[in-house]
Amino acid sequence: MKVRKPSFDYSSSLPRWCRTYPEYSQVVNVASLSLPYLEPYLNTVMRRAQGKLGPDHPLNADIALFCKQEAAHYLQHDAYNEALRKAGYARLPQFEERFRAHFERLLNEKSLKFNCAYSLGFESIGPIYAEWWFEQTDDVMAGADPSVVSLWKWHLAEEFEHRTVAFDVYQALFGSYAYRIKGLLAFLRDLREINGGAVKYLLSEDSKKMSAEEQAASRKRFAEIRQRESAFVRSRLVRIMSPFYSPHKSREPKGVAELLGKIDAAA
Ligand SMILES: [Fe+2]
Ligand SMILES: [Fe+2]
């Protein structure tokens, strides 16, 4: 595990950077929009956990690197989101405020146990999306803006790289299986609710510029890619929901090591 700071330029391609499924662009854009709120939250949770583990705990070095990788991620997503804001969706700040308030509330009102389980929920989904991006979406990403694809592949490769940290922290401090699932389900529910509203808004703005025929084609494409994505995610969630799940046993998606090696070589 190490910190990398590649740079990308998405200014020319946002918002609809995915050519085959332009609607999927907005799903991914909203995920990016949430990250400068979600990832600092993860770091706060991990630092609070570190405080509880004590200064000599063997996980401390991993937690420190984890936080540095997450910080590099949300800085890149900040730049991405800046390009998205320039594309002119008036209500974006409202959704960002919703993300901000949501994570602030979790930090202020929920226990460390809940926040660790919730963070682990997000961290368990990361490697699923690494597999999705690296192995399942070549056709989806054909002709898509390479800067956007590179940003996400770098981010998800590092999510795969640090996949064990939140799990090991949770196991060291709490370890309850039922509560891990509670955190995962709470995270998935919130993700669906908050992100879903923003995606709906962005797509409805896009559809204003379309003819009735284009709108129908757009709805069809969106339903198709969402169905494909959720079928894939559900198939992988089964493993995560098992009491025997451990990210230490996960298979690295094809292309992850190669991409990280390329970024290291270019640094
Ligand atoms: Fe991240
Ligand atoms: Fe992460």
Side-chain angles (χ1 to χ4, degrees):
M1 212 197 304
K2 64 191 280 193
V3 183
R4 303 174 188 85
K5 293 182 177 166
S7 77
F8 309 105
D9 177 15
Y10 348 84
S11 51
S12 59
S13 52
L14 290 176
R16 287 163 73 88
W17 52 268
C18 180
R19 306 283 172 256
T20 322
Y21 290 94
E23 296 70 25
Y24 194 61
S25 309
Q26 301 293 25
V27 174
V28 174
N29 291 343
V30 167
S32 177
L33 200 67
S34 73
L35 291 172
Y37 304 95
L38 196 162
E39 293 187 312
Y41 157 81
L42 296 179
N43 283 359
T44 303
V45 173
M46 285 302 124
R47 289 207 187 90
R48 285 181 183 176
Q50 203 172 25
K52 206 163 176 199
L53 289 167
D56 302 321
H57 198 279
L59 279 170
N60 277 339
D62 275 359
I63 296 172
L65 264 171
F66 172 99
C67 291
K68 283 183 186 161
Q69 283 195 335
E70 296 296 16
H73 298 165
Y74 65 73
L75 282 177
Q76 275 295 331
H77 286 280
D78 254 339
Y80 183 103
N81 298 346
E82 194 49 43
L84 185 62
R85 283 181 208 109
K86 285 190 182 134
Y89 296 93
R91 284 184 57 208
L92 277 187
Q94 285 176 31
F95 290 104
E96 289 194 74
E97 172 53 24
R98 227 181 136 189
F99 287 126
R100 192 200 61 72
H102 175 68
F103 293 110
E104 185 182 87
R105 188 183 65 79
L106 291 183
L107 287 175
N108 290 338
E109 295 177 11
K110 296 288 188 176
S111 66
L112 182 61
K113 184 178 181 182
F114 179 86
N115 283 318
C116 281
Y118 194 91
S119 299
L120 175 54
F122 172 73
E123 287 294 310
S124 309
I125 301 304
I128 296 182
Y129 276 93
E131 190 184 348
W132 169 252
W133 276 79
F134 277 90
E135 295 186 355
Q136 303 283 328
T137 55
D138 282 356
D139 63 315
V140 179
M141 299 305 165
D145 182 83
S147 295
V148 175
V149 176
S150 300
L151 162 76
W152 285 97
K153 283 194 164 174
W154 158 68
H155 187 163
L156 290 162
E158 290 193 350
E159 289 300 322
F160 185 84
E161 195 175 38
H162 71 221
R163 70 195 177 281
T164 59
V165 180
F167 179 83
D168 289 347
V169 166
Y170 178 81
Q171 292 301 115
L173 285 175
F174 308 107
S176 152
Y177 163 67
Y179 206 90
R180 175 170 76 76
I181 299 303
K182 180 183 165 163
L184 173 69
L185 295 179
F187 171 75
L188 290 172
R189 183 199 58 218
D190 293 348
L191 180 80
R192 202 169 39 237
E193 198 187 308
I194 306 182
N195 288 28
V199 172
K200 215 169 149 192
Y201 162 67
L202 290 171
L203 292 178
S204 73
E205 288 298 294
D206 290 347
S207 79
K208 285 179 186 166
K209 297 165 218 147
M210 296 175 192
S211 67
E213 223 167 67
E214 287 167 338
Q215 285 175 352
S218 173
R219 276 196 299 274
K220 188 168 169 270
R221 277 194 306 264
F222 182 62
E224 192 180 303
I225 188 68
R226 281 306 248 180
Q227 201 271 333
R228 181 169 148 189
E229 183 192 34
S230 44
F232 172 76
V233 172
R234 274 199 308 272
S235 73
R236 297 306 186 262
L237 269 174
V238 174
R239 219 179 285 155
I240 289 172
M241 308 226 10
S242 156
F244 307 107
Y245 165 73
S246 163
H248 290 274
K249 296 187 279 189
S250 304
R251 175 186 68 83
E252 184 176 281
K254 290 180 197 87
V256 163
E258 197 188 328
L259 179 114
L260 293 178
K262 260 192 213 160
I263 295 172
D264 291 342

